[in-house]
Amino acid sequence: METSCQEATALLLERTLSVLEDDARVRLDEHLRICEACRERAPAIDGALEDWKSAATEKPAPADSWERIRAHLGDDPASQVRVVLVCTWCKGGLERNEAAYCATCLAPCHADCFATHGRCPAPGCEETRVVQPRTLARPRPAQPRPPRRVGWFVAALVLGTGVAVAALAPPPHPRRELPVPSPLGKTNGASVPACLRVSPSSIHLPEEPSERSFVMEKLRRAVEDRVTNFLSETRYRDHAFSVFADSDGTIAVAIDPPLDESPLDRLRDDLGVRGDLRCHFVKEDASGPGIDRFERGTDKVFHLQPETALANEDVERAYETMSSSGTRAIGLKLTAEGGARFHETTRGNLGRKLAILIDGQVVSTPVIRSANGEELVIEGRFTEEDVHALVGALSPKDRYPLWVWVQRETPGVFREAPVSNTDAGPGSLSGRVFLKAHVERPAPVAVAKDHEVCGAVYRDESLVVAEDGALANVVVYLRGVPTPTTWDRRGTYRIDQKECRFTPRILLVPEGEKVTIGNSDPICHDVKSNCVANPIFNELVSAGRALTRTFAKAEFVRLGCAVHPFMGGTIVVMEHPWYAVTSASGAFTLPDIPPGTYQVMAWHETLGKAVKRGTTVTITPGARASLDIAF
Amino acid sequence: MAERASDDRALAALAHGTREDRERALETLHERHKDEVHGFLARLLRDPSLADDALQETFLQLYRSFDRFEPGQPFRPWIFKIARNAALKTLRTRKKEENLATKARPKSGRNVVETTATNESRERAREALEALPDETRALLLQRHVLDMKLEDLAESFAVTERTIRNRLHAAAEAFAATFFGTRTGEPRGD
């Protein structure tokens, strides 16, 4: 295509701005070779831009610029932030010390306005009781703090809607006495329905027993008020709770029925306490002592070194940030001392995985690429809510006078993982998969082209059920099992396209192994992949040719053909060897499973998962477990 | 690098400090960046006195928007975003006033004279640059005069790098069209 002088001029400007694409560069060079006018225009355009540049630097800012700005800082509304309260009933101004708040919705009112109206004036609120804030007496702080912090603390008490303490009326929340939670450090008994433990760091607690119990009681009440408010403001108002203070400096919150992780995070943030942060390196082999921890939200287990590489006291500040790839991440600013120590530790461990645990659960396992002593960015699959909650959980708080953190011991939320023990020999699991639900069988498909290869009518094999209901092509696997260190992945992994069918229909491939996708038909196929963790592709494979691909991450990769839309296949990329595909008789066998308790999953390409979170199966050493699964 | 770290400190003070801290931080940032910002504004507004006002507006806006600052965010894209918006606002207001004043007068046509001498074509190129829409000029200024990376431009315009590339291509096309006198309408933004 001929390039006009006008186009060439545009390209000349792009070249000066260094945004010229490669193909455009070729076109420009071609044009400049034949067009003298454009060759002469090139320096003119550069010159015009240079004039622009030099003119811009000629004019410095006026000398009085700062004085002018400063003079206006006073009118800036942001520098005079003052929250004004207005009575919800009479709309008149309200001084903080005379404000009364609705016990349910915390709408502010004059106390006599509330009395005149008889109930809360906020629309939709029928509450007849009010609460009024009172400043909690501060326990004596162990260290003198700068006056600003005191200001913050008082401000937080007055401004924070939740700290309004019931003074005129009994607390609005129904109370039910719950059993006393077990003390920290002892094994958690089943008697505690749910439990947050607030344990003030001992260095800030007074040594003298009576003084100590006084401080603890104050803290206990503060925690109780917060929990009351939290539960009554949220949809958990029917939950019963108890708050206990132990002489060992622990405050335990028992909530029944137990809360899930996310509301617990919010409550913890509300309580102004800090999550327990630990970082350990992930062990590369099974030898020597180690600890096992679950990943947050999944059943994946990590084997970690027992030494702590980083903990709460090394973190100065936590903040929300973005990772280099643009995903949500949590940034930690380290203290000088903690940073130096972390730098020292990581320098010797470059290229290894560091597991970051919050409250005993692994949230992220980044690979340490460089030793950095100032900041640590935690990347993970976080939702926005997660990031808020975790940043809240990790930020040092000054809302409460005591430095506290929470240890979560809720059964079901945090569990010790089974410690891997393979001494007694592996077990195995076998069984059959059946279709019990009534599912319409797929109808044969009329073929529009390539009849001679695909046949005039195509038999859809996306659901293959035997006469007795046995279901073929179901992937049965163990959920959340880490990749074993000894795993012989060698093998030939080939999926063929023959008579317009992927053969086998389901191929199991270990992570990182080469897969050949062949075409034995005398016609073209266009293989397209549908996956998330691995790169997608869409490539033409002509007759007798093949293409090879490597899938780095465990995932179910669905295959299709753009030419023949009725074709379908699946490549299952496995992170561990305990995967099996059911045969035509619906049978499967998972051999050599280390003893332990597992979640067994069953997946079918059109029916999905048999049980959403899997079926629990315990494998005992050397024994054969059996399991029948029904869809 | 050291300047970047010191900017970050000042920004942290601006975001979280007391009033005195915030004023001091603003003064530091002003001292360090005022000339560059002023040069940019003067070029974009083509008027030093308007630039003085816009500079003031820029830093006041920076002071006010401290709560939108995210730690770790680079400073340059941010300050030039504020400066650009302040300048474009001024230009829009001025255009509106001018339109009201000159509504009765017919628009003067632009004659393009064919010339070959280099300095004349340089003059023409400069005119063509000046005739571009204000938003486009702001983009070209940020790219060429301020030497900003595509990554920083994307941050500053709150779009992707690909979009910035497309806008720069569109700007170059608009420039060429103006240069040859064939430009008909406003170029598309992206």
Side-chain angles (χ1 to χ4, degrees), chain A residues 60 73 154 214 541:
Chain A
L73 286 182
V154 175
F214 171 79
V541 187

Side-chain angles (χ1 to χ4, degrees), chain A residues 19-209:
Chain A
V19 286
L20 193 61
E21 313 278 347
D22 287 342
D23 57 331
R25 185 181 300 278
V26 174
R27 281 195 290 135
L28 177 64
D29 290 346
E30 183 74 13
H31 181 83
L32 289 182
R33 203 163 47 78
I34 53 170
C35 176
E36 197 189 337
C38 283
R39 270 207 299 283
E40 280 174 6
R41 199 172 295 125
I45 291 173
D46 289 353
L49 280 167
E50 274 319 299
D51 290 349
W52 229 15
K53 205 170 190 169
S54 54
T57 47
E58 271 167 22
K59 305 178 186 74
D64 63 341
S65 146
W66 172 243
E67 277 66 43
R68 287 171 59 185
I69 293 170
R70 198 197 172 100
H72 282 87
L73 286 182
D75 352 317
D76 172 16
S79 64
Q80 306 166 344
V81 174
R82 182 164 175 265
V83 181
V84 181
L85 284 185
V86 173
C87 173
T88 316
W89 175 241
C90 72
K91 312 293 180 211
L94 197 54
E95 287 301 318
R96 294 198 179 282
N97 51 13
E98 63 176 36
Y101 299 86
C102 164
T104 301
C105 70
L106 292 173
C109 277
H110 291 110
D112 43 349
C113 281
F114 199 99
T116 312
H117 189 54
R119 60 178 176 84
C120 174
C125 184
E126 300 290 327
E127 182 59 64
T128 54
R129 294 166 300 177
V130 288
V131 292
Q132 275 188 315
R134 88 182 133 81
T135 311
L136 293 177
R138 283 186 70 204
R140 205 173 60 197
Q143 291 172 345
R145 283 166 181 262
R148 185 167 65 82
R149 293 233 171 161
V150 177
W152 268 111
F153 173 58
V154 175
L157 274 182
V158 178
L159 289 172
T161 51
V163 196
V165 177
L168 303 179
H173 190 75
R175 291 292 305 271
R176 176 148 57 88
E177 287 306 313
L178 292 173
V180 178
S182 61
L184 194 72
K186 293 182 188 166
T187 41
N188 185 25
S191 61
V192 187
C195 175
L196 274 177
R197 280 185 183 280
V198 183
S199 50
S201 167
S202 57
I203 47 166
H204 292 296
L205 272 183
E207 284 302 318
E208 210 273 310

Side-chain angles (χ1 to χ4, degrees), chain A residues 148-342:
Chain A
R148 185 167 65 82
R149 293 233 171 161
V150 177
W152 268 111
F153 173 58
V154 175
L157 274 182
V158 178
L159 289 172
T161 51
V163 196
V165 177
L168 303 179
H173 190 75
R175 291 292 305 271
R176 176 148 57 88
E177 287 306 313
L178 292 173
V180 178
S182 61
L184 194 72
K186 293 182 188 166
T187 41
N188 185 25
S191 61
V192 187
C195 175
L196 274 177
R197 280 185 183 280
V198 183
S199 50
S201 167
S202 57
I203 47 166
H204 292 296
L205 272 183
E207 284 302 318
E208 210 273 310
S210 65
E211 224 175 304
R212 193 183 169 100
S213 63
F214 171 79
V215 172
M216 290 307 297
E217 178 54 22
K218 286 288 179 194
L219 185 67
R220 191 195 69 77
R221 279 196 199 173
V223 170
E224 192 175 80
D225 289 337
R226 296 300 287 187
V227 177
T228 309
N229 278 317
F230 176 81
L231 293 177
S232 59
E233 280 166 18
T234 57
R235 60 194 167 85
Y236 310 105
R237 63 188 70 195
D238 297 334
H239 293 230
F241 76 96
S242 294
V243 180
F244 306 91
D246 283 350
S247 55
D248 68 346
T250 316
I251 288 176
V253 185
I255 299 172
D256 182 34
L259 298 181
D260 287 339
E261 279 175 39
S262 163
L264 264 181
D265 276 339
R266 262 164 53 210
L267 172 61
R268 179 179 47 191
D269 190 27
D270 239 25
L271 283 173
V273 292
R274 195 178 188 187
D276 182 35
L277 171 83
R278 310 251 158 237
C279 296
H280 296 264
F281 280 100
V282 177
K283 274 172 76 82
E284 279 150 358
D285 49 42
S287 66
I291 53 172
D292 288 354
R293 289 287 182 268
F294 276 110
E295 189 179 32
R296 186 185 168 96
T298 73
D299 285 349
K300 191 166 175 180
V301 177
F302 285 93
H303 308 289
L304 312 174
Q305 284 195 337
E307 303 84 30
T308 311
L310 191 75
N312 280 76
E313 51 273 23
D314 302 327
V315 178
E316 191 178 295
R317 183 164 71 82
Y319 54 88
E320 288 174 30
T321 180
M322 285 280 181
S323 70
S324 49
S325 54
T327 53
R328 291 190 190 88
I330 299 164
L332 299 178
K333 173 98 180 72
L334 305 183
T335 61
E337 200 182 322
R341 202 157 51 78
F342 185 61

Side-chain angles (χ1 to χ4, degrees), chain B:
Chain B
M1 210 61 217
E3 190 169 280
R4 168 85 198 268
S6 146
D7 270 357
D8 283 350
R9 267 200 302 282
L11 283 169
L14 196 61
H16 304 295
T18 59
R19 192 171 163 183
E20 293 81 59
D21 286 348
R22 297 185 52 213
E23 281 196 24
R24 239 193 327 275
L26 188 72
E27 190 174 357
T28 315
L29 291 169
H30 172 265
E31 196 54 42
R32 196 170 300 137
H33 296 279
K34 63 176 179 188
D35 287 336
E36 199 181 20
V37 175
H38 188 267
F40 170 71
L41 289 168
R43 216 66 209 87
L44 190 55
L45 291 164
R46 308 188 187 93
D47 184 343
S49 67
L50 280 180
D52 295 352
D53 291 346
L55 181 72
Q56 181 182 332
E57 184 53 38
T58 303
F59 278 92
L60 282 174
Q61 186 57 38
L62 173 70
Y63 186 74
R64 281 180 214 132
S65 61
F66 70 96
D67 52 339
R68 260 168 276 163
F69 166 72
E70 286 171 23
Q73 184 183 339
F75 179 64
R76 251 167 72 97
W78 192 38
I79 183 78
F80 282 108
K81 180 184 193 168
I82 299 178
R84 185 180 68 236
N85 288 338
L88 291 177
K89 195 173 154 196
T90 311
L91 284 170
R92 269 197 296 275
T93 322
R94 200 174 57 169
K95 210 177 253 172
K96 228 180 254 171
E97 285 165 4
E98 275 174 9
N99 275 353
L100 283 176
T102 61
K103 217 170 188 177
R105 259 185 282 158
K107 275 186 184 169
S108 59
R110 238 177 69 84
N111 298 319
V112 181
V113 187
E114 272 306 319
T115 47
T116 47
T118 312
N119 54 351
E120 279 178 48
S121 91
R122 180 166 173 163
E123 190 54 41
R124 241 177 75 197
R126 203 155 49 194
E127 274 176 24
L129 281 176
E130 288 297 342
L132 289 173
D134 298 328
E135 287 80 2
T136 314
R137 269 189 321 120
L139 173 66
L140 292 181
L141 277 170
Q142 277 188 275
R143 173 69 181 170
H144 186 71
V145 178
L146 302 176
D147 253 338
M148 282 171 80
K149 285 182 286 187
L150 289 178
E151 184 190 337
D152 289 347
L153 283 175
E155 176 88 39
S156 179
F157 282 81
V159 294
T160 61
E161 271 186 55
R162 189 64 248 175
T163 310
I164 287 294
R165 264 180 190 281
N166 290 343
R167 287 188 186 176
L168 284 168
H169 292 320
E173 275 162 27
F175 163 77
T178 319
F179 189 84
F180 282 89
T182 57
R183 188 155 151 257
T184 49
E186 298 281 299
R188 289 188 40 159
D190 42 353

